Amino acid sequence: MRRLRQLPMDVWFEPLIIVVLLVGYIVWYRTTPLTETEQAALAWDNLRVTIYDHIKLTVVATVIVVAIAIPLGILLTRPSMRWLNPIAVNIANIGQAAPAVGLLVLFPFWLGTGFRTAVVGLVVYAVLPILQNTIVGLRQVDQRTVEAA
């Protein structure tokens, strides 16, 4: 008789944590006496809009970062463009080196507040890891495989 393979802990642990936090929130919300302002802020209609805005912000920033970093990483691994690699990576490092609080204060002065400013901030911070991982991943492919392709 075959034994069922046990699922690794990371497959079920994160969803379990999310369920526990959601149940904890629901129990807390139903048992805690809230003021009218707190009820308005924590009502499902308000939370639904906030969650939707967060997902929209995340998806837009992710699409922009992937559209910038992956093609740039592919380009920088080509033999004719390798000389640009240090320049591009150092420019992307600026986003990681700048203090987050400083950028969050300066961006609203430059771009105003709102969706666009949040997307720009997320893109600035996310380009370097995607770019670096694309470059490293492509460099680790065996040259014989690249030539065969």
Side-chain angles (χ1 to χ4, degrees):
M1 188 168 164
R2 285 187 353 186
R3 296 179 66 193
L4 293 175
R5 191 174 71 120
Q6 183 179 6
L7 290 174
M9 185 174 168
D10 60 343
V11 171
W12 57 267
F13 186 71
E14 290 175 4
L16 178 66
I17 293 294
I18 291 170
V19 168
V20 167
L21 290 174
L22 182 62
V23 168
Y25 171 76
I26 291 170
V27 169
W28 172 82
Y29 183 74
R30 297 215 182 261
T31 60
T32 304
L34 300 172
T35 65
E36 286 183 35
T37 305
E38 291 170 333
Q39 286 177 351
L42 296 173
W44 174 243
D45 290 336
N46 192 26
L47 283 178
R48 186 183 65 232
V49 170
T50 305
I51 290 169
Y52 172 74
D53 289 344
H54 179 76
I55 291 171
K56 185 171 71 170
L57 178 68
T58 304
V59 168
V60 168
T62 301
V63 167
I64 292 171
V65 168
V66 167
I68 292 171
I70 291 179
L72 184 60
I74 292 169
L75 182 70
L76 293 174
T77 58
R78 300 295 160 239
S80 63
M81 295 294 186
R82 286 196 181 177
W83 65 275
L84 286 173
N85 191 358
I87 296 167
V89 170
N90 283 330
I91 290 171
N93 273 332
I94 292 171
Q96 293 289 316
V101 173
L103 285 181
L104 291 176
V105 169
L106 293 176
F107 278 170
F109 287 128
W110 176 40
L111 300 169
T113 57
F115 185 80
R116 180 178 57 167
T117 305
V119 169
V120 170
L122 288 171
V123 168
V124 166
Y125 278 106
V127 166
L128 179 66
I130 305 282
L131 178 64
Q132 285 285 71
N133 287 327
T134 302
I135 292 170
V136 169
L138 290 173
R139 283 187 181 161
Q140 290 181 352
V141 174
D142 186 19
Q143 277 305 111
R144 293 175 292 190
T145 305
V146 172
E147 288 174 17

